[in-house]
Amino acid sequence: MRINKKYQGIMEWCIAIVLVVICTKYSILSYGSFSPVKAHESSERTYHYGPSEIVKTIDLDKSKIYLCRYKDWFSANTVKKGFIKWYPGDQVAGTPIDYSKQVSYSGGGSSISENEMIMKVYGYVNDPEITTMTFKFNNKEDTLIYDLDESRMFIFYWKEGSEKFNIKYLKGLDGEGNVILEERVMGL
């Protein structure tokens, strides 16, 4: 059976249009960004937050954490690397700085695999006497230390799997190592 050349041309164009639509919808040209910073900015736009100033970038295996400040708010947004592109992660929402407290902080976790999370505690230090922040787990000897810079912001991060670190301690130290602030951090 012979198909009329006119109908054959129409069929070819229909197939081509369907293929273009499918490739565009499910290709690398759609969702995601080729740059981790662009993925972070896209994440902020979806939450109607920012644009924030990136204070610190933390490179992990297949993700990045951006410690940010926007006006009187702070955040620690995670973006994740896909096969080719970077994708918005989570925790883009900002936390307001409470200037009546010595330290304003927040925390949470981001899934990096089926049974592993990147946990983080981050914040802004209001008290000018505090020069160093430390973070300690109740069931580990290690203490994480963060020397503050002019941004007055800090971040602690760690991997957590089936082993849970239930109680954590956040401390603020002055230049001589004296404890000015000590708080139990639970619920992460």
Side-chain angles (χ1 to χ4, degrees):
M1 177 174 151
R2 244 181 114 120
I3 300 178
N4 185 337
K5 288 209 183 253
K6 180 180 177 182
Y7 291 115
Q8 182 179 358
I10 292 172
M11 289 283 275
E12 287 173 355
W13 274 105
C14 288
I15 290 170
I17 290 170
V18 167
L19 289 174
V20 166
V21 168
I22 290 171
C23 289
T24 302
K25 183 170 175 126
Y26 299 105
S27 77
I28 63 170
L29 300 175
S30 61
Y31 183 67
S33 302
F34 291 108
S35 156
V37 172
K38 293 291 183 196
H40 161 69
E41 291 169 352
S42 173
S43 185
E44 284 188 331
R45 277 193 301 276
T46 62
Y47 204 78
H48 305 290
Y49 178 79
S52 62
E53 172 193 354
I54 298 172
V55 174
K56 183 173 178 89
T57 301
I58 298 165
D59 291 315
L60 303 170
D61 291 337
K62 292 191 174 199
S63 60
K64 290 183 184 275
I65 301 172
Y66 291 106
L67 179 63
C68 301
R69 175 142 184 217
Y70 173 65
K71 297 183 181 179
D72 289 335
W73 298 69
F74 61 90
S75 63
N77 186 21
T78 304
V79 295
K80 298 175 184 177
K81 176 83 165 134
F83 179 65
I84 295 176
K85 297 175 89 176
W86 289 88
Y87 297 92
D90 47 21
Q91 296 188 336
V92 68
T95 301
I97 297 171
D98 184 347
Y99 290 103
S100 68
K101 295 182 177 180
Q102 289 175 293
V103 176
S104 297
Y105 65 92
S106 185
S110 302
S111 175
I112 57 172
S113 70
E114 188 175 310
N115 56 357
E116 196 169 44
M117 303 261 302
I118 289 288
M119 304 300 292
K120 52 195 172 193
V121 172
Y122 52 94
Y124 180 84
V125 177
N126 297 309
D127 188 334
E129 289 186 46
I130 297 175
T131 60
T132 302
M133 295 297 296
T134 67
F135 194 75
K136 184 165 176 52
F137 305 94
N138 69 328
N139 55 349
K140 287 181 83 175
E141 290 299 316
D142 297 340
T143 298
L144 305 175
I145 299 170
Y146 196 99
D147 292 321
L148 297 174
D149 59 16
E150 67 279 350
S151 73
R152 306 296 294 159
M153 295 180 70
F154 66 91
I155 184 166
F156 297 106
Y157 59 95
W158 65 96
K159 289 183 181 178
E160 196 167 280
S162 58
E163 175 188 10
K164 298 288 183 196
F165 307 110
N166 295 329
I167 302 172
K168 296 107 180 154
Y169 298 93
L170 184 65
K171 293 181 183 181
L173 311 176
D174 67 11
E176 296 175 10
N178 299 315
V179 176
I180 294 177
L181 165 86
E182 182 172 4
E183 289 194 28
R184 282 177 66 165
V185 179
M186 297 188 306
L188 292 182

